[in-house]
């Protein structure tokens, strides 16, 4: 089982457990809204450009909102079955859906978490952490490049995954899964920052992600 398949199955189990009305880290979205997004993304190729292009986002949101009216169980079945034969995601599932499933799974798991509370992230398998290194590095190049600092992502064992940007150096340290969530702009996230105070503040306060 690939990491993408592992996270898809885990996400389906979590959604079944929490139901359609639980909070998520996606502002304004319940678990029903998030599930509809995932299903539409894989089953309506015409909506994919609107995920990345603001001018087309209205159409994508209209289709997603309509899908959210469907039975929650039917939406779950669609997500569990994976991309259909006609979906462009079917051939690239292990690459295109790994971060998508992982990040949105955490959106559900952390939707009701108080960032100031005593919480800990779930443990990840060694194989999943290994697969997530690639998305952590590639997404960092997209989402962190405009922050006025040279940002290095580092795992607790001292492995540097990527360095992005220019300016004073800031090292962001955490498990691979937490680094993925950091580059996607999610909060709360279990990482630490080291570097010059002003540069660390710029990284902490930045609004980045997709």
């Amino acid at each position: 089982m690939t990491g993408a398949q592992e996270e898809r199955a885990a996400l389906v189990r979590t959604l079944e457990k929490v139901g359609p009305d639980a909070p998520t880290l996606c502002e304004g979205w319940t678990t029903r809204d998030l599930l509809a997004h995932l299903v539409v993304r894989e089953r309506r190729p015409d909506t994919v450009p609107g995920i990345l292009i603001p001018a087309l986002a209205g159409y994508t949101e209209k289709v997603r909102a309509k899908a959210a009216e469907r039975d929650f169980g039917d939406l779950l079945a669609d997500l569990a079955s994976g991309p259909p034969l006609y979906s462009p995601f079917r051939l690239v599932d292990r690459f295109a859906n790994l971060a998508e499933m992982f990040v949105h799974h955490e959106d559900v798991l952390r939707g009701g978490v108080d960032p100031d509370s005593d919480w800990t992230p779930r443990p990840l398998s060694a194989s999943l952490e290994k697969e997530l290194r690639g998305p952590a590095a590639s997404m960092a190049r997209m989402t962190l490049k405009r922050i006025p600092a040279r940002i290095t992502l580092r795992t607790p064992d001292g492995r540097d995954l990527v360095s992005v940007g220019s300016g004073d150096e800031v090292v962001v340290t955490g498990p691979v899964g937490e680094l993925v969530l950091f580059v996607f702009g999610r909060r709360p996230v279990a990482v630490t920052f080291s570097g010059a105070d002003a540069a660390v503040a710029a990284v902490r306060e930045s609004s980045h992600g997709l």
Side-chain angles (χ1 to χ4, degrees), residues 33-200:
D33 296 312
L34 180 54
L35 176 55
H37 156 73
L38 290 169
V39 170
V40 166
R41 172 179 171 273
E42 291 187 331
R43 293 171 177 268
R44 289 290 301 269
D46 56 311
T47 68
V48 173
I51 297 174
L52 299 174
I53 303 173
L56 303 177
Y59 172 72
T60 299
E61 172 57 20
K62 181 179 179 180
V63 175
R64 188 211 61 77
K66 182 65 176 178
E69 297 174 2
R70 294 178 53 202
D71 177 77
F72 189 72
D74 290 344
L75 288 170
L76 272 177
D78 282 349
L79 179 63
S81 66
L85 286 172
Y86 61 81
S87 174
F89 289 103
R90 186 174 180 87
L91 293 177
V92 294
D93 177 66
R94 68 181 303 158
F95 307 108
N97 281 330
L98 174 57
E100 183 79 7
M101 296 299 157
F102 172 74
V103 172
H104 283 318
H105 189 191
E106 293 297 331
D107 285 336
V108 176
L109 292 171
R110 304 183 191 203
V113 171
D114 179 355
D116 298 321
S117 66
D118 184 17
W119 66 278
T120 56
R122 64 179 167 125
L124 305 181
S125 67
S127 60
L128 180 56
E129 284 210 340
K130 183 177 180 180
E131 286 193 59
L132 284 170
R133 291 174 189 166
S138 60
M139 291 307 303
R141 295 185 182 98
M142 294 176 59
T143 64
L144 305 181
K145 60 185 179 181
R146 292 186 175 86
I147 300 175
R150 179 70 173 172
I151 304 170
T152 297
L153 302 184
R154 181 172 296 167
T155 59
D157 61 1
R159 179 193 295 267
D160 289 349
L161 301 184
V162 68
S163 292
V164 181
S166 60
D168 291 337
E169 184 176 21
V170 174
V171 177
V172 183
T173 303
V176 178
E178 297 304 299
L179 294 175
V180 171
L181 293 166
F182 168 74
V183 301
F184 272 83
R186 294 316 201 252
R187 303 288 191 278
V189 62
V191 297
T192 60
F193 302 86
S194 60
D197 290 347
V200 167

Side-chain angles (χ1 to χ4, degrees), residues 13-28:
R13 290 193 297 269
T14 297
L15 288 169
E16 288 176 332
K17 179 180 179 180
V18 302
D21 301 314
T24 75
L25 292 185
C26 299
E27 186 175 358

